[in-house]
Amino acid sequence: MIAYFQTVLITAGIFALLAQGLNLHRGYTGLLNFGHVAFFAIGSYTMAIMVTQFEFGFFTSFIGAIVAATIFGVIVALPAIRLRTDYLAIVTITIGEIFRLVIQSGPGVTELTRGPRGIRGYSNEFFFLREDLGLGFLDPQMYLLAIVWTAVIVVGVLLFFLLRSPWGRVLKGIREDEDAMRALGKNVTSYKIQSFAIGAAIAGLAGVLFAMDIGSLSPVAYLPLITFQAWTIMMLGGMGTHFGPIIGSIIFWSIFNGTLFIPDSIVSGAEAAYLRQIGVGALIMLIIILRPQGILGSREEMVLDK
Amino acid sequence: MDDLQLSFGGLKAVDGANLEIEPGKITALIGPNGAGKTTLFNVVTGFYKADGGSISFDGNSIMGKNPHSVAKRGLVRTFQLTKSLGRMSVLENMMVAAPSQAGEKLFAAWFVPWVINRQEKQNRQKAIELLELFNLIEKKDDYAATLSGGQRKLLELARALMMEPKMILLDEPMAGINPTLGARLLEHVGELRDKGMTFVLVEHDMDVVMRVSEHVIVMANGKVITQGSADEVRQNQEVIDAYLGTGGGAVEEALDEVMEGKPADGRE
Ligand SMILES: Nc1ncnc2c1ncn2[C@@H]1O[C@H](COP(=O)(O)OP(=O)(O)OP(=O)(O)O)[C@@H](O)[C@H]1O
Ligand SMILES: [Mg+2]
């Protein structure tokens, strides 16, 4: 039972981070990013490759992963910012898939990523570190749980201050009407790149922690499904709210893993896996019909047009 | 600006516009619907790229500059179809417009919160004064999307003034504004002009044009057909010709046409 809650909370924390980054893009800046999983993957892979192939320490690799995700965020943003709404969505979803396929079978790239065989053996130092951090009394799962939720809280607090500052107000303005913001003298392009980069960095951080959780990397762990789960979490919690991604993620993963409690006599394990997917689909529909603004979103804001 | 040109396909929306705006004055830009007034604003403020010509502001070329850099130089415009930031409060709409905010830099909020707090306080003060003047103070905490059409026009003008521009291009600022309030706003515009701000306004109401503007520019079919003081323009034969054809009706009638924005077709 405790193991169940640990698993749910670790995953929920990682996806809360993912949704926090997405929420910065979509909820605050109005950027329809459907390729979020690519930033997640680049975080995981950069860290794993640096540790296993170049024998960097965990901290260096961790920083490297976040820097790589940030740079990738800027690179994706450059073509993407010229596009609006649906067009941006199409381009980002494509970038996400291209990225996964390159990891899986890109010529030259697979020497680093080991293609479909994946990478393992990168997490030892991370788990040994808990002695140094004075967390030796925790078992590895509890330790990971603690680190993940520390990250969620730190990112949450930092974002909170950023988004209620004038910088965050400019992002919201861009979400509402980017031409109006241009007329007000704001460099919309630059802000969109900043938003993209920071959201990507947070996703990269989530990717590192995800890698620690799953223990071995392979491209199949980075399907577009991850992006859609992050979207569902953001919408469930409430787009453009500070705590929405966190609450959304906990509820989402509780429901998702809830199928474990259905006795085997009613549905078998394999059926339960399908049941989860059905559950997620039903959840998305329920949110949109019953509470389109999400749990923390404001109904009033939802019904307003521009 | 010199010989400014912009076409949409075959249509020459701005066709060799040549004009100079005198600093510290109120200039009215008039002309029938589709004359190219809004398009001219769009070109000058960088929203559309001109096909040819040159524009300079305050001694520097602003040809081909991005909208935000034009605005940052102090040349600010409003939109004919208002653009309010709907899911932000009226006060936030004002605050976001304040120029050179330290807090707009990334991460400033983490490192220099006290600087931001001080600026925010000053800007809020200024925003509230403007909102009071524009009769919007009771709405300050409401979402901008809940404002009426006229209130949105007011907010847009107030927001533009929040930027402390040197020159401001107003695209039909009085459309849909109640006359009493409109008169008060014009008075305020006059005061700002006295302090050295330059205004260009597109306006279809000739009474307003004649009352406030020191200079009038008449556009038709993308061209500037005449300019001068309000009285000169009133008596200009070209205006009459442009709208009514040669030998057309009285001056007043011609101006009526301009005022109602009917296209010139040269016939009865
Ligand atoms: N984005 C565009 N694409 C194509 N044609 C355009 C575009 N914008 C304006 N036009 C055309 O250019 C001409 C000038 O339009 P503009 O909006 O500048 O007129 P205006 O003088 O502001 O008129 P009004 O008094 O009605 O506001 C019109 O014929 C219009 O149809
Ligand atoms: Mg117009």
Side-chain angles (χ1 to χ4, degrees), chain A residues 167 169 176 186 191 301, chain B residues 87 96 101 103-104 120 143:
Chain A
W167 183 83
R169 194 166 53 204
E176 295 303 311
K186 313 299 178 202
Y191 282 100
E301 219 169 278
Chain B
R87 280 165 301 175
V96 81
Q101 300 181 48
E104 285 182 355
E120 287 284 282
Y143 285 114

Side-chain angles (χ1 to χ4, degrees), chain A residues 12-14 16-17 20 147-157 205 246:
Chain A
I14 291 168
L17 285 167
Q20 279 172 328
I147 297 288
V148 164
W149 279 90
T150 308
V152 172
I153 291 165
V154 169
V155 167
V157 169
L205 166 64
I246 298 172

Side-chain angles (χ1 to χ4, degrees), chain A residues 33 54-55 63 70 81 85 131 163 179 223 225 227-228 258 267 276 292 299 306:
Chain A
N33 167 16
F54 299 98
E55 289 171 7
I63 303 290
T70 311
I81 37 164
T85 60
E131 307 287 346
L163 288 169
D179 281 337
L223 294 171
L225 177 66
T227 302
F228 299 135
V267 281
R276 291 169 150 201
R299 179 99 213 172
K306 285 189 185 169

Side-chain angles (χ1 to χ4, degrees), chain B residues 134-178:
Chain B
F134 281 76
N135 265 4
L136 286 172
I137 195 70
E138 276 111 62
K139 295 277 178 187
K140 80 173 162 47
D141 297 319
D142 293 2
Y143 285 114
T146 64
L147 296 183
S148 73
Q151 287 170 330
R152 284 179 203 210
K153 276 267 162 200
L154 293 171
L155 176 59
E156 180 137 327
L157 179 54
R159 198 172 63 187
L161 292 178
M162 188 75 191
M163 298 171 71
E164 297 174 346
K166 293 181 194 156
M167 175 162 164
I168 177 164
L169 309 180
L170 304 172
D171 204 343
E172 303 195 19
M174 295 300 151
I177 307 268
N178 136 316

Side-chain angles (χ1 to χ4, degrees), chain A residues 118-185:
Chain A
I119 306 177
R120 48 173 58 249
Y122 49 76
S123 57
N124 299 344
E125 192 191 341
F126 170 75
F127 285 105
F128 282 134
L129 263 177
R130 73 180 192 278
E131 307 287 346
D132 299 345
L133 290 172
L135 297 169
F137 58 93
L138 295 175
D139 65 55
Q141 279 294 89
M142 272 318 270
Y143 164 67
L144 182 58
L145 181 70
I147 297 288
V148 164
W149 279 90
T150 308
V152 172
I153 291 165
V154 169
V155 167
V157 169
L158 291 178
L159 279 180
F160 180 81
F161 285 107
L162 267 190
L163 288 169
R164 60 196 278 283
S165 81
W167 183 83
R169 194 166 53 204
V170 173
L171 294 195
K172 272 165 76 184
I174 292 170
R175 178 190 73 193
E176 295 303 311
D177 191 321
E178 56 177 271
D179 281 337
M181 294 306 281
R182 289 197 167 91
L184 295 177

